[in-house]
Amino acid sequence: MAGSRLFRTFIGAAVITAALVTPAGPAVAATTGGSGGPACNTPSVPTVSSVTTHAGYTDAFTKYGNTGGGWTGGDSTFSVPLKGTTLWLFSDTFLGTVNPGGSRPNDGPIVNNTFVQQRGDRFRTVHGGTTAEPDAMLPKPADDAWYWLGAGQISGDALQVSFQRYDRFGPGQWDWKWTNNVMARYSTRDFRKLDVTPMPSGHGVSWASWLERIGGHTYVYGVEDKGAVKNMHVARVKGDDLRKRWEFWTGRGWSRDQADSVAVQPGVANEYSVTRYRNGYLLITQDTSTIFNPDVVAYFSCSPTGPFVDKTFLYQTPEGGLSGTYGNANIFTYNAHEHPDLRKSDGRGDKLLVTYNVNSFEWDDVIKDVTIYRPRFLEVTFAR
């Protein structure tokens, strides 16, 4: 987990509220890592033409969040295509109203995970519990424990979402730790929770960073979070059902023993993306090689298991620190990644949608200003 998250207790089946808004390098040996995906001798490293704020998504979520009809802010910001809609997946989420001056009520509800479904210019927030007493889509397993979600995908008629459990071990603000991984399945018709399945958790890897279907497998990306050092790990399952038998990348091949999983890439965030791109694979992440680094970077590889090379600067997030746009030392940014199903192309190049999250170490900041605890949307254009 990169940075602070927010949490509070509530109880609860899916509740939906709706509102209308207007959105508007170096050579790498040829390999596929056993993926059956594209192979290359050197990954194609495109030229970055531009990185700009994506006005359409920014305006749409601003308008929806300010209606006070459901979601007013959240982090994680994963997305899943679902029957002509985009289902956005959020971890800690503010619900309720927004005051006229752009602040949140001090007693406004916050739950640990939600979905927001977008169809064109219409959004609806999906949460557990009731409208009066909302709860997370995957509620707390205990009073001092909670789930933050990760990447999700569709498998058959079910939405599969990866979750990480965190537990408190003391009274301090930072006295909590990752405990284990689970996968919850939801009906794609009404988002009713179907079941919860344990995922591999025995060797310190949170398997929630990213999911990517490659060839006949779903590749599962995780992070081994050692605090100052965050390492990528890679696993896979045959097909698209995460309940099937897992295999773990050893650096030379695949093993059924999760103890054989090796660190593939340092400097990733807890949430990142690894996607097929041109003749290889594209990693987009916040650079965590230094603490609170504002840089969003890309790497390229011939294989979904790396090595990832040609580190390429994409964007410096402007919000954090005293010199940032808020002029507040408590503000920080984290967990940048791509949304490959929302890519577009035109005559000038490929346009990628990338999001990152903004937060504060001080609770009062996100109460006084709703804009702080909302995702940022970027359009990254790679030249043809």
Side-chain angles (χ1 to χ4, degrees):
M1 230 259 335
S4 167
R5 292 275 183 83
L6 309 164
F7 48 91
R8 202 183 293 178
T9 308
F10 291 97
I11 313 175
V15 175
I16 296 173
T17 52
L20 175 66
V21 298
T22 304
V28 177
T31 177
T32 64
S35 69
C40 59
N41 291 315
T42 302
S44 174
V45 180
T47 300
V48 180
S49 294
S50 64
V51 181
T52 60
T53 298
H54 195 296
Y57 283 105
T58 300
D59 291 346
F61 272 88
T62 297
K63 290 176 181 178
Y64 177 61
N66 288 347
T67 64
W71 179 98
T72 70
D75 69 353
S76 284
T77 322
F78 289 100
S79 62
V80 177
L82 176 62
K83 299 176 181 178
T85 72
T86 298
L87 189 68
W88 297 91
L89 313 180
F90 291 97
S91 289
D92 283 342
T93 304
F94 280 99
L95 302 170
T97 60
V98 174
N99 296 324
S103 62
R104 295 183 168 98
N106 284 320
D107 59 351
I110 178 172
V111 298
N112 296 125
N113 48 82
T114 63
F115 306 154
V116 174
Q117 190 172 27
Q118 178 187 6
R119 183 188 297 273
D121 60 358
R122 293 183 179 274
F123 290 70
R124 61 175 186 169
T125 299
V126 187
H127 58 76
T130 65
T131 301
E133 295 187 12
D135 197 4
M137 292 300 292
L138 187 60
K140 289 171 173 278
D143 287 343
D144 287 329
W146 61 92
Y147 290 107
W148 286 321
L149 58 73
Q153 66 175 11
I154 303 299
S155 176
D157 293 329
L159 167 69
Q160 297 187 340
V161 182
S162 56
F163 285 91
Q164 313 153 73
R165 173 174 170 162
Y166 287 84
D167 284 76
R168 278 201 168 278
F169 59 84
Q173 179 180 357
W174 302 102
D175 291 347
W176 46 264
K177 63 179 180 178
W178 169 85
T179 304
N180 64 274
N181 309 304
V182 301
M183 186 271 289
R185 295 192 315 136
Y186 298 87
S187 165
T188 56
R189 183 178 60 84
D190 58 6
F191 301 112
R192 173 176 51 88
K193 181 163 61 70
L194 302 175
D195 50 47
V196 178
T197 303
M199 295 203 301
S201 304
H203 292 273
V205 179
S206 171
W207 295 105
S209 301
W210 192 252
L211 300 171
E212 185 73 5
R213 295 183 190 176
I214 302 168
H217 293 84
T218 297
Y219 280 65
V220 186
Y221 290 87
V223 65
E224 179 187 20
D225 188 345
K226 297 183 176 181
V229 178
K230 300 177 190 292
N231 292 319
M232 174 194 293
H233 284 246
V234 187
R236 70 180 187 180
V237 298
K238 190 173 182 179
D240 61 9
D241 190 343
L242 298 180
R243 296 172 298 174
K244 291 185 177 180
R245 186 182 68 202
W246 286 44
E247 298 177 318
F248 303 87
W249 181 246
T250 69
R252 298 175 61 87
W254 298 96
S255 170
R256 298 180 190 176
D257 186 349
Q258 60 182 303
D260 294 332
S261 180
V262 298
V264 170
Q265 173 77 19
V268 296
N270 292 72
E271 298 169 5
Y272 55 86
S273 56
V274 177
T275 59
R276 287 166 290 181
Y277 187 71
R278 296 187 182 178
N279 71 328
Y281 296 88
L282 167 66
L283 162 64
I284 291 182
T285 184
Q286 196 115 0
D287 185 355
T288 64
S289 59
T290 58
I291 190 168
F292 300 127
N293 193 330
D295 292 351
V296 180
V297 297
Y299 297 83
F300 305 88
S301 178
C302 287
S303 166
T305 58
F308 293 92
V309 298
D310 291 304
K311 183 177 181 179
T312 301
F313 172 81
L314 297 180
Y315 185 75
Q316 186 174 89
T317 62
E319 294 85 1
L322 278 175
S323 61
T325 55
Y326 288 98
N328 185 337
N330 294 313
I331 306 299
F332 61 94
T333 63
Y334 55 109
N335 285 346
H337 56 77
E338 195 209 344
H339 299 265
D341 293 294
L342 299 173
R343 284 180 189 167
K344 298 185 182 300
S345 296
D346 61 20
R348 293 180 296 175
D350 298 321
K351 298 181 181 297
L352 283 60
L353 181 67
V354 172
T355 56
Y356 64 92
N357 299 306
V358 183
N359 207 335
S360 174
F361 292 113
E362 291 295 329
W363 172 264
D364 284 348
D365 289 338
V366 298
I367 296 298
K368 292 177 180 177
D369 187 346
V370 297
T371 69
I372 293 174
Y373 194 63
R374 284 179 176 172
R376 300 314 197 253
F377 298 86
L378 302 175
E379 184 173 81
V380 177
T381 302
F382 287 147
R384 288 192 179 280

